[in-house]
Amino acid sequence: MKLDSMYQDVILDHYKHPHGRGLRQGDAEAHHVNPTCGDEITVRVRLSGETIEDVSYEGQGCSISQASASVLNELLVGKDLTEAQRIQETFLELMQSKGRVEPDDAMEEVLEDAVAFAGVSKYPARVKCALLSWMAWKDATAKALSEGKTA
Ligand code: ZN
């Protein structure tokens, strides 16, 4: 697998120096696995109204899956849910592009370090690695919101 070296450095840096790793207090969590690669992630979210106060996580697996969780933490903590959803949808669009989307400035502004995963979108098996923590985050957020309503 050959990635643009700058992008590869960003991914490896997040893998070696993960942001916000470790599980902390939260409203809800989701555990997702990617059996084709052996990746696992638990994502826990803490909301304050519409604001994401924290996204904590713990997991194991390949560098792409773990770096992606670190990028997710960096991008989403402190954002409101509407903005976070826009970021998640943009990332999903990039990852489902099969390498056809060349990130432009507008996309880079939304995704920041997450544009580094652009090269990964060419490898269908690795796309699941990159999306694992994002799907777990979406799941955990949905749980947190539905529990909030019933509380
Ligand atoms: Zn993986």
Side-chain angles (χ1 to χ4, degrees):
M1 175 159 152
K2 199 161 154 263
L3 286 177
D4 180 281
S5 65
M6 186 192 82
Y7 281 174
Q8 202 165 27
D9 285 350
V10 172
I11 293 174
L12 280 176
D13 192 50
H14 274 280
Y15 179 57
K16 288 178 186 158
H17 310 285
H19 289 253
R21 193 183 170 89
L23 288 172
R24 293 173 292 277
Q25 199 195 341
D27 301 322
E29 67 176 40
H31 178 73
H32 281 214
V33 294
N34 175 19
T36 53
C37 184
D39 309 317
E40 288 187 40
I41 201 94
T42 300
V43 173
R44 199 176 277 176
V45 296
R46 192 168 79 236
L47 300 174
S48 170
E50 291 284 299
T51 305
I52 300 167
E53 278 208 326
D54 194 18
V55 180
S56 59
Y57 62 95
E58 195 55 75
Q60 54 186 355
C62 70
S63 57
I64 292 171
S65 67
Q66 303 307 306
S68 176
S70 170
V71 170
L72 179 145
N73 169 280
E74 194 175 67
L75 277 177
L76 300 189
V77 171
K79 298 285 195 320
D80 67 51
L81 286 172
T82 311
E83 200 180 353
Q85 197 178 351
R86 189 169 70 102
I87 295 168
Q88 193 261 340
E89 281 165 5
T90 308
F91 187 62
L92 195 62
E93 184 194 326
L94 177 66
M95 294 319 295
Q96 290 175 339
S97 72
K98 299 183 172 69
R100 285 194 298 261
V101 170
E102 199 60 52
D104 57 13
D105 288 351
M107 194 177 243
E108 204 170 320
E109 204 169 298
V110 175
L111 292 179
E112 298 175 33
D113 277 1
V115 295
F117 293 87
V120 176
S121 72
K122 280 178 255 176
Y123 305 88
R126 311 315 297 275
V127 166
K128 285 182 187 158
C129 304
L131 287 175
L132 186 68
S133 58
W134 293 78
M135 293 307 170
W137 168 77
K138 211 179 158 187
D139 205 7
T141 301
K143 281 187 201 172
L145 290 172
S146 67
E147 278 165 23
K149 270 175 212 155
T150 54

